[in-house]
């Protein structure tokens, strides 16, 4: 079974530029998450989708971050404009459902460096 | 709101035991444990749901004390492959998988 795919693996941009990350979840997984993991910290949930609808985006900085999940499969996360403090690993995860007893599978992440 | 993990780091020799604790200031409905190796994706270990259950998988087990709002992960007879950073993710909404992760515990196993 293929895992969660993310691209690119690495990205270096200058502050104020824009960047986009792509995620392809495990086939059949209705729930998709984007996490931000700053070096030395645990993952922080940015946004959660159930199919193509947003379940939770309370921690998404909406003035610069946006995400979409068209057709309820692939998802993209965009940052525009980027700030130095956005340097982090962006992890995508998916699960079969959004129930509390469901395990999430993570992708390898995109390491973003903003200079 | 972020759960507190302790210890922050631990170094063991192969074959020794370890306990990692995860404490929350909020009522917990679930606790998810993950292990992440450097540069890799977090890998799921186990889920514990409200009810004080204990789970185990070979030499890794965990407990969940809902009254104390904490969970503990037990690694017995540790192997080199157990090295990595362990995260607990706490579910504070009943029935939902919105997780708040702790800051992690770095475990190093030496031969």
């Amino acid at each position: 079974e293929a895992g969660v795919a993310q691209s690119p693996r690495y990205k270096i941009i200058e502050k104020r530029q824009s960047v986009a990350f792509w995620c392809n979840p495990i086939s059949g997984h209705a729930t998709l998450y984007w996490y931000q993991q700053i070096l030395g910290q645990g993952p922080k949930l940015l946004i959660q989708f159930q199919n193509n609808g947003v379940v939770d985006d309370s921690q998404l900085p909406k003035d610069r971050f946006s995400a979409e999940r068209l057709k309820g499969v692939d998802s993209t996360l965009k940052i525009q404009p980027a700030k130095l403090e956005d340097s982090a690993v962006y992890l995508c995860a998916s699960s079969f459902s959004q129930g509390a007893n469901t395990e999430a599978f993570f992708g390898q992440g995109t390491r973003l460096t903003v200079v | 709101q972020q759960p507190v993990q302790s210890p922050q780091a631990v170094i063991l020799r192969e074959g020794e035991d370890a306990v990692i604790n995860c404490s929350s200031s909020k009522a917990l409905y679930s606790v998810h444990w993950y292990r992440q190796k450097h540069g890799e994706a977090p890998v799921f270990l186990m889920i514990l749901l409200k009810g004080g259950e204990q789970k185990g998988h070979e030499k890794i087990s965990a407990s969940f004390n809902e009254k104390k709002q904490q969970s503990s992960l037990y690694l017995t007879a540790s192997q080199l492959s157990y090295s990595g950073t362990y995260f607990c993710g706490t579910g504070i909404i009943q029935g939902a998988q919105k997780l708040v992760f702790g800051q992690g515990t770095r475990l190093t196993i030496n031969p």
Side-chain angles (χ1 to χ4, degrees):
Chain A
E1 178 182 85
V4 176
Q6 289 189 246
S7 67
R9 286 293 314 276
Y10 305 93
K11 191 73 177 179
I12 301 174
I13 62 172
E14 294 182 351
K15 59 182 178 183
R16 291 187 289 274
Q17 285 188 325
S18 62
V19 64
F21 313 127
W22 173 82
C23 172
N24 179 233
I26 292 174
S27 177
H29 281 195
T31 311
L32 185 146
Y33 314 81
W34 281 102
Y35 286 89
Q36 179 192 58
Q37 186 174 27
I38 293 173
L39 186 64
Q41 298 182 20
K44 172 189 167 185
L45 180 66
L46 293 176
I47 189 167
Q48 177 182 344
F49 291 94
Q50 180 67 16
N51 296 310
N52 60 349
V54 175
V55 173
D56 188 327
D57 63 357
S58 57
Q59 299 192 94
L60 186 73
K62 298 180 186 64
D63 58 334
R64 299 183 300 106
F65 286 64
S66 64
E68 60 182 10
R69 191 184 183 196
L70 300 176
K71 301 180 182 178
V73 182
D74 293 5
S75 178
T76 56
L77 176 69
K78 297 179 182 178
I79 307 175
Q80 182 180 10
K83 293 185 175 181
L84 295 177
E85 59 260 36
D86 298 332
S87 293
V89 175
Y90 291 83
L91 295 164
C92 178
S94 70
S95 61
F96 182 74
S97 73
Q98 59 178 331
N101 61 344
T102 308
E103 68 180 277
F105 295 83
F106 283 82
Q108 287 196 293
T110 296
R111 182 178 297 275
L112 173 67
T113 303
V114 182
V115 298
Chain B
Q1 185 171 344
Q2 181 183 36
V4 176
Q5 290 186 230
S6 62
Q8 289 191 348
V10 59
I11 300 174
L12 299 175
R13 286 193 175 177
E14 196 173 8
E16 293 181 333
D17 301 341
V19 180
I20 300 171
N21 300 302
C22 174
S23 296
S24 174
S25 60
K26 289 185 172 282
L28 300 179
Y29 293 95
S30 67
V31 179
H32 300 226
W33 285 97
Y34 286 82
R35 175 172 62 213
Q36 185 177 31
K37 294 184 181 286
H38 183 69
E40 299 181 8
V43 173
F44 171 80
L45 294 176
M46 64 185 75
I47 296 173
L48 298 103
L49 301 177
K50 186 177 179 179
E53 65 178 293
Q54 183 156 349
K55 279 195 171 183
H57 177 67
E58 295 185 349
K59 297 177 181 177
I60 300 176
S61 62
S63 63
F64 179 17
N65 188 322
E66 61 191 89
K67 283 187 178 179
K68 292 185 176 180
Q69 297 168 182
Q70 60 184 218
S71 176
S72 295
L73 185 71
Y74 307 94
L75 300 101
T76 58
S78 58
Q79 305 170 12
L80 294 176
S81 61
Y82 288 1
S83 291
T85 300
Y86 289 76
F87 293 99
C88 66
T90 52
I92 59 174
I93 300 175
Q94 188 173 14
Q97 210 210 92
K98 178 178 179 177
L99 299 179
V100 181
F101 283 91
Q103 82 280 13
T105 295
R106 177 174 292 185
L107 176 65
T108 303
I109 309 294
N110 292 321

